[in-house]
Amino acid sequence: MYTSFFSFFKAKLAVLLVSLMGSVILSSCNHDDSTQLPTKEETDKRPLKFNVNFLGSWQVENSAKSAISRGTATNTLSDAIYDSFGVFASYYDTGEEYTQTQNYMYDTESGEYMDGWQTFTPFAMPPINKEMSFCSYYPYQADDAPQPYITFNGGNRDYVGHPYFDFLIPDSVALQPDLMVATSSMSSTDLAVGSPIPLKFTHMLTAIKFVFDASIPHGYILKISINNVSKGGSFVYGRIKDGTVNDPDYSWSSVSAETKNFTLNTRLRTGTGLPVPLADDQTFLMMPQHLDQDASVTIVYDNGSRFEFTTSLAERTWEPGKIVTYNVKINSLKTISLKATIEDWIVGDTYNWTSSY
């Protein structure tokens, strides 16, 4: 009897132990996050590739990071972009692009990576058989930027329609960005099979340079100020029709009527016997605009005595994507004259703007 009971007890105990061990194993599998496999959605995410264009052939890689575009005429993006860029994107059925938010990307940071241009974060693929639009800008403005200069969609992430931005030119000349934009469209099916997103960037501002004539006697340029010019404007990205992007009209939808002065303090030596240009980071990057009667340039020159010269810029026009270089002469320490040369920022061709005054 005792033997029978003991055998029965051992059998029950074995079943109980097996049951408890199974519970422990299952519990371990359920609660140890380190053993969890990624979800299908996570494994399907990947960085998205871009073909970036700056009027030349499509550039897949940036091979010249040391070169910059700020105020420099260039015809390859690899000589132009050295910072990251931001991208907005949406997908939709044909005909619904104007009723859609930016439901795929919202100000997504992208740029050069080891194997080309791509988003810095991975994305799951959108639904297939959708139309897609992409709107980009350069340089990317981080959320914690100490001096923000661009605001998208009035700060409304749920804004419906193609994105727009309001732009304010930073006070500091060195911090004024070489603002560029790009738009494109493609099908979500093409994106899903790995086709890169095409982006063709265009300069939005006017670069204003100064070169001081070789005839200026020995002394120092202490200050250059561009006075009473527009402080910013608003831009709406190009519209999309029938799933393709029309050639964008890269004009500002509005230019601010509020004006201000932009001043560069420097100590530039003259009288070297050669023309003396400002450095590249001393290029003024200004709003394209027709200059009103009170627009002017003020230059402070010191040769032991200090002189302040002001000359008018009235009735001139600054166009987007142009480099305007003012050659400065000082005439007998009484007057100053400017003669402008205009370069096309896109291809670097030059022509003279006869305006000596």
Side-chain angles (χ1 to χ4, degrees):
M1 176 179 177
Y2 290 104
T3 303
S4 176
F5 173 79
F6 184 68
S7 299
F8 173 80
F9 176 77
K10 286 198 297 181
K12 289 293 185 182
L13 180 61
V15 171
L16 178 61
L17 288 173
V18 170
S19 177
L20 287 172
M21 289 177 64
S23 297
V24 170
I25 293 171
L26 289 173
S27 176
S28 175
C29 290
N30 287 336
H31 297 289
D32 184 1
D33 291 337
S34 65
T35 64
Q36 283 186 324
L37 295 175
T39 65
K40 184 177 186 302
E41 181 182 359
E42 290 171 333
T43 58
D44 283 347
K45 287 185 177 181
R46 63 177 185 263
L48 303 183
K49 302 290 186 180
F50 296 94
N51 272 346
V52 178
N53 179 258
F54 191 65
L55 286 186
S57 59
W58 291 115
Q59 302 292 320
V60 179
E61 291 185 65
N62 179 355
S63 59
K65 289 177 64 177
S66 60
I68 62 175
S69 69
R70 196 181 188 284
T72 303
T74 180
N75 59 7
T76 60
L77 189 62
S78 59
D79 291 333
I81 282 188
Y82 66 107
D83 285 327
S84 53
F85 51 87
V87 183
F88 294 77
S90 61
Y91 59 84
Y92 44 82
D93 293 321
T94 302
E96 295 183 354
E97 59 267 34
Y98 300 113
T99 62
Q100 188 54 259
T101 63
Q102 300 303 298
N103 60 358
Y104 191 58
M105 293 185 193
Y106 193 95
D107 202 10
T108 296
E109 186 175 7
S110 307
E112 183 197 13
Y113 198 62
M114 291 169 45
D115 57 348
W117 305 92
Q118 65 176 54
T119 59
F120 290 158
T121 53
F123 282 82
M125 289 300 102
I128 62 171
N129 297 324
K130 298 284 187 179
E131 301 294 340
M132 300 193 72
S133 66
F134 297 87
C135 300
S136 185
Y137 74 101
Y138 169 91
Y140 176 76
Q141 179 181 275
D143 292 338
D144 58 352
Q147 296 187 30
Y149 56 82
I150 193 167
T151 303
F152 281 94
N153 303 334
N156 178 14
R157 293 183 67 93
D158 297 322
Y159 176 79
V160 174
H162 296 286
Y164 72 91
F165 61 77
D166 297 311
F167 175 74
L168 287 176
I169 299 175
D171 292 339
S172 170
V173 174
L175 296 180
Q176 291 166 359
D178 175 12
L179 181 66
M180 292 192 279
V181 300
T183 60
S184 69
S185 67
M186 66 189 303
S187 72
S188 61
T189 304
D190 289 340
L191 186 69
V193 298
S195 297
I197 302 160
L199 291 177
K200 182 176 181 178
F201 283 93
T202 298
H203 293 283
M204 291 301 299
L205 301 178
T206 308
I208 307 297
K209 290 175 168 287
F210 290 90
V211 175
F212 292 87
D213 197 79
S215 65
I216 298 177
H218 172 73
Y220 293 92
I221 304 299
L222 301 182
K223 185 175 77 170
I224 306 166
S225 181
I226 300 178
N227 310 313
N228 301 311
V229 296
S230 176
K231 70 173 189 176
S234 298
F235 177 80
V236 180
Y237 280 90
R239 298 299 184 182
I240 294 180
K241 183 179 181 181
D242 299 328
T244 60
V245 174
N246 297 327
D247 290 333
D249 177 11
Y250 287 119
S251 60
W252 294 82
S253 56
S254 66
V255 174
S256 176
E258 187 174 346
T259 62
K260 64 183 300 181
N261 301 344
F262 295 94
T263 298
L264 173 69
N265 293 308
T266 185
R267 188 172 175 80
L268 189 69
R269 184 185 174 191
T270 60
T272 63
L274 296 170
V276 182
L278 292 176
D280 189 63
D281 63 357
Q282 294 176 318
T283 299
F284 292 76
L285 294 171
M286 300 282 96
M287 281 297 299
Q289 61 194 283
H290 183 72
L291 299 166
D292 293 334
Q293 291 297 323
D294 54 355
S296 64
V297 170
T298 297
I299 293 175
V300 175
Y301 168 74
D302 191 323
N303 66 351
S305 298
R306 184 167 296 196
F307 301 85
E308 182 173 297
F309 306 97
T310 298
T311 188
S312 175
L313 290 175
E315 301 304 322
R316 307 300 176 188
T317 299
W318 291 340
E319 298 179 8
K322 303 291 185 181
I323 301 173
V324 179
T325 302
Y326 289 107
N327 185 76
V328 181
K329 289 185 177 182
I330 296 176
N331 305 316
S332 302
L333 299 180
K334 293 182 180 179
T335 61
I336 191 172
S337 64
L338 304 180
K339 185 173 183 179
T341 299
I342 301 177
E343 296 178 81
D344 192 326
W345 206 339
I346 297 174
V347 295
D349 292 338
T350 64
Y351 60 94
N352 288 326
W353 177 19
T354 305
S355 56
S356 183
Y357 44 88

